[in-house]
Amino acid sequence: MSQRQVLQVFEQYQKARTQFVQMVAELATRPQNIETLQNAGVMSLLRPLLLDVVPTIQQTAALALGRLANYNDELAEAVVKGDILPQLVYSLAEQNRFYKKAAAFVLRAVGKHSPQLAQAIVDCGALDTLVICLEDFDPGVKEAAAWALGYIARHNAELSQAVVDAGAVPLLVLCIQEPEIALKRIAASALSDISKHSPELAQTVVDAGAIAHLAQMILNPDSKLKNQVLSALSQIAKHSVDLAEMVVEAEIFPVVLTCLKDKDEYVKKNASTLIREIAKHTPELSQLIVNAGGVAAVIDCIGSCKGNIRLPGIMMLGYVAAHSENLAMAVIISKGVPQLSVCLSEEPEDHIKAAAAWALGQIGRHTPEHARAVAVTNTLPVLLSLYMSTESSEDLQVKSKKAIKNILQKCTYLPALEPFLYDAPPNILKHVVGQFSKVLPHDSKARRLFVTSGGLKKVQEIKAEPGSLLQEYINSINNCYPEEIVRYYSPGYSDTLLQRVDSYQPLTH
C-alpha cells in the first residue's frame, strides 16, 4: 500500500469521526432524538473523541456532550459516571478558546440539574480551572466560565461557598466591568446566585466592590442586563439592614424607579422586588423610599401590569404600611388602597389575592381613619367571601380572616360594618358587634340609624352564650336604648303583643 493510500485511509477515518460528532451535535439539538441517542450508547462513543488529535473533533464532541447533558439529569449523570469530567477539566486548562467554551458548557449543563451533580463538578477540581478561565483574554471563555460557576453556586450555600473559596467573586466583579453585554449579564447573574443564600455570602460580594458597579448599570438599555443587575442587588439587600443600607447608599434612588415604567415586564418585577427587599427592613428605609416617590411609583406599576409581575409591588406596600401609622397613611394618600382592592377582586391566582389581603390588613390595622380608608373601597365583603369560599386556598382563607380582624378592630365606619351583621360567621360577628358596642354609646345619630336600618333588630336575633364576650357586647348595645325599644325589636315580641291582645278585656261602658 502506497503512502498516498495510507494517508487516504487516515483522511477517511478523520472525515468519518468529524461527520459523526457533527451529526450527533446536530441531532442533540432536538428533544425527540435524545432517547434514541441515549439508547445507542452515544456517551461512551463521544468520550474518546474528547481526546482526539483533531481540535475541531474535540470541540464538537464536547458540544454534543453538553447538549445531551443539558437535556436531563439522567444524561448529566451519565457524564459523571462515564468519568468524562476529569478529562474536561484537564482540557479546560490546556486547550484553545473554542474547546474551553465547549468544556465549560458541559460543566454548566451537568451542574445545573441538582446539588449532587454540581458537587461532582466541584469534587473533580473544576472550580479552580473555571476561575482561571475568568481571566482568559477571550470574552466568550469568561462568559462560559461565569455561567458554569453561577449554575453551581445557585443550588445551596455550601456550593456557593466553594465558588467563593475558589476566588471567583473579585473576577466576576471585573467581568461586570467588561464592555461585552453578554459577559456583564452572566457575571451579574452569577453574583446574584452567590449572594442569595446567606448574609455572609452576600457580604463577600459586597466586599469585592460589586454594589457600586451594579448600581451604575441600573439604567443600561439592555433589558436582560437590567434584570440581572436588579436581581443581584435584591439578593444582597434582602438579608439584613446593613446590606440594604449599603445598596441604598449606592444612590439607587430615584433612578431605580424608572425601571418600574420599563417596557419589559420582568424589569418591572425585579425593580419592585428590589424596593420590597429594602422597604421590609426598617421604617427609616421605608420612609426614604416614600420620600423618593417610591410608593406612588410602585402603585402605578401595579396598575400597569397583571399576575405575578404585580406580586412584589403588592408585598412592598404591605411592608411599608406595617411599619407605622404615618407610612400606612402614605400608602393611602398615594391611592394604594383602591389599587390593592382591584388586585383582590381581579386576580385569578389565590397567592396574589392572599398578598393583597395581607397588605390591606396592614394598612387598615392602625387607626379608625386607616380602617375607614380600606372599608370605603368595599373591600370587607370581598375579604369575607374569600374567607368563606371553599374554593379559596388555606393561605388565602387565613390571610383574609386576619385582614378582616385587623380592619374590623379599628373600624368605626358603621355603614361598612352593618352588612357583616347578616353575613359574617360567629368568629367574625363577635368583632363586628364589638365595634358597634364601642361606637353607639357616643354617637346619637348612629344610634338612630342603627334602629331604622334594622341593625338593632338583627342584634337581638343573635344567639350568644350567657357570660360570653359576644353577650357583653350585645348588652352594651342594648344599654344605649330605652328598654321598650329593645323589647320591641326582640324576637317573639309581636307574639307577646298578640297574647296581650287575646287576653285584653276591653273596657265596657
Side-chain angles (χ1 to χ4, degrees), residues 206-229:
V206 172
D207 291 344
I211 290 178
H213 297 294
L214 289 166
Q216 282 165 9
M217 294 188 284
I218 286 174
L219 293 182
N220 191 291
D222 183 80
S223 293
K224 286 179 181 165
L225 175 57
K226 260 190 290 204
N227 271 326
Q228 300 301 352
V229 165

Side-chain angles (χ1 to χ4, degrees), residues 175-186:
C175 288
I176 59 174
Q177 299 167 63
E178 293 284 349
E180 292 80 15
I181 291 288
L183 177 55
K184 284 177 185 285
R185 282 181 199 153
I186 304 303

Side-chain angles (χ1 to χ4, degrees), residues 156-308:
N156 59 41
E158 290 72 32
L159 286 161
S160 209
Q161 190 61 55
V163 170
V164 169
D165 293 342
V169 173
L171 295 171
L172 287 168
V173 173
L174 286 175
C175 288
I176 59 174
Q177 299 167 63
E178 293 284 349
E180 292 80 15
I181 291 288
L183 177 55
K184 284 177 185 285
R185 282 181 199 153
I186 304 303
S189 173
L191 290 169
S192 178
D193 285 329
I194 292 166
S195 303
K196 72 182 181 184
H197 301 291
S198 72
E200 293 73 26
L201 286 160
Q203 190 64 54
T204 311
V205 172
V206 172
D207 291 344
I211 290 178
H213 297 294
L214 289 166
Q216 282 165 9
M217 294 188 284
I218 286 174
L219 293 182
N220 191 291
D222 183 80
S223 293
K224 286 179 181 165
L225 175 57
K226 260 190 290 204
N227 271 326
Q228 300 301 352
V229 165
L230 293 165
S231 168
L233 290 169
S234 302
Q235 299 293 11
I236 293 167
K238 74 179 185 182
H239 293 291
S240 70
V241 178
D242 288 347
L243 287 165
E245 283 175 350
M246 284 174 159
V247 171
V248 169
E249 281 161 17
E251 297 183 353
I252 62 162
F253 291 105
V255 286
V256 74
L257 302 182
T258 58
C259 296
L260 296 170
K261 294 187 172 74
D262 201 273
K263 61 182 183 296
D264 185 292
E265 297 280 82
Y266 289 96
V267 172
K268 287 182 180 179
K269 185 183 180 187
N270 287 357
S272 301
T273 304
L274 172 55
I275 298 166
R276 177 192 76 193
E277 297 299 8
I278 294 166
K280 73 181 186 186
H281 290 294
T282 65
E284 291 72 25
L285 284 167
S286 277
Q287 190 62 57
L288 184 143
I289 292 166
V290 170
N291 296 349
V295 167
V298 166
I299 291 164
D300 288 346
C301 177
I302 294 170
S304 73
C305 52
K306 294 269 182 287
N308 275 320

